[in-house]
Amino acid sequence: MSAVVRRLRETVSALHQELVRYNLVAWTAGNVSGRVPGEDLFVIKPSGVMYEDLTPESIVVCDLDGELVEGDLAPSSDTAAHAYVYRMMPQVGGVVHTHSTYASAWAARDEAIPCVLTAMADEFGGEIPVGPFALIGGDDIGKGIVATLEGHRSPAVLMRNHGVFTIGADARAAVKAAVMCEDVARTVHVARQLGEPVPIAQSDIDSLYNRYQNVYGQRSPR
């Protein structure tokens, strides 16, 4: 096992605990994967293993067809979906799946989350879209994720009647998108209990997104 794969296994194992920390998962549902830089491989949570039992050694390695390459446990039941995303979206370095409560409630209603918060404009660049219904186990979910996110700035998609899938430049970015997706799903739900949320003008969404993506935070000196 290369040092790169070993470090990625450590990172992805630790990131699963963030899903627990932010109450995005229940029991063994949900998973994080990360692409191995420079290789046609990714690492992912094994199927049905409790979060508290995860270790770097239990994280399995798969190829981009979703076939097990290294590890003693069976890969996640969502492995084919992750593999399809990695094959079709070479810019993606991490994928996360959760059944977080509020975001999944929007998915159950087949309704996109409208962009009515500056935090949504920052992170998602617009609404969080809904993808089609697809059965678990094959790559139909992956096909729905890719087809829905093409043409969207959002790193998150609500798969109808299922839950949330997020993508990122690496696994940590995909986890952050999952955390933010649930946060704004909850806030917009609460806002709708009080009345009709006020939309943000597209020009302002564009401005907010550009600032957050290109100016916000600490930047390396040039």
Side-chain angles (χ1 to χ4, degrees), residues 27-71:
W27 204 245
T28 63
N31 40 71
V32 179
S33 72
R35 187 195 293 267
V36 179
E39 303 284 348
D40 289 336
L41 300 170
F42 65 99
V43 306
I44 192 168
K45 178 183 180 290
S47 179
V49 176
M50 299 294 291
Y51 286 92
E52 60 265 31
D53 295 331
L54 286 178
T55 64
E57 294 72 27
S58 66
I59 300 297
V60 298
V61 183
C62 295
D63 63 24
L64 296 193
D65 291 319
E67 298 297 325
L68 182 66
V69 171
E70 191 170 308

Side-chain angles (χ1 to χ4, degrees), residues 17-30:
Q17 304 313 314
E18 296 301 297
L19 303 187
V20 176
R21 176 186 176 193
Y22 287 98
N23 297 313
L24 303 185
V25 294
W27 204 245
T28 63

Side-chain angles (χ1 to χ4, degrees), residues 79-98:
T79 296
H82 288 242
Y84 186 88
V85 172
Y86 288 126
R87 289 199 307 273
M88 297 296 109
M89 305 180 80
Q91 76 277 18
V92 170
V95 179
V96 171
H97 172 46
T98 78

Side-chain angles (χ1 to χ4, degrees), residues 5 7 20 28 38 43 72 78 88 108 112 120 135 145 168 207 221:
V5 172
R7 286 194 298 270
V20 176
T28 63
V43 306
D72 298 324
D78 293 306
M88 297 296 109
M120 285 191 69
L135 293 176
I145 295 168
S207 177

Side-chain angles (χ1 to χ4, degrees), residues 115 117-129 149 152-157 166-184 200 204-214 216 219:
C115 187
L117 298 166
T118 60
M120 285 191 69
D122 288 346
E123 181 73 25
F124 302 99
E127 70 174 17
I128 300 175
L149 292 183
H152 274 270
R153 293 187 291 206
S154 174
V157 55
T166 61
I167 59 174
D170 55 26
R172 180 178 176 82
V175 170
K176 179 192 175 187
V179 172
M180 296 301 295
C181 179
E182 178 65 5
D183 184 63
V184 299
I200 300 174
D204 291 330
I205 292 173
D206 294 342
S207 177
L208 288 161
Y209 182 76
N210 179 67
R211 178 201 65 88
Y212 188 75
Q213 299 297 324
N214 299 307
Y216 174 80
R219 302 287 164 174

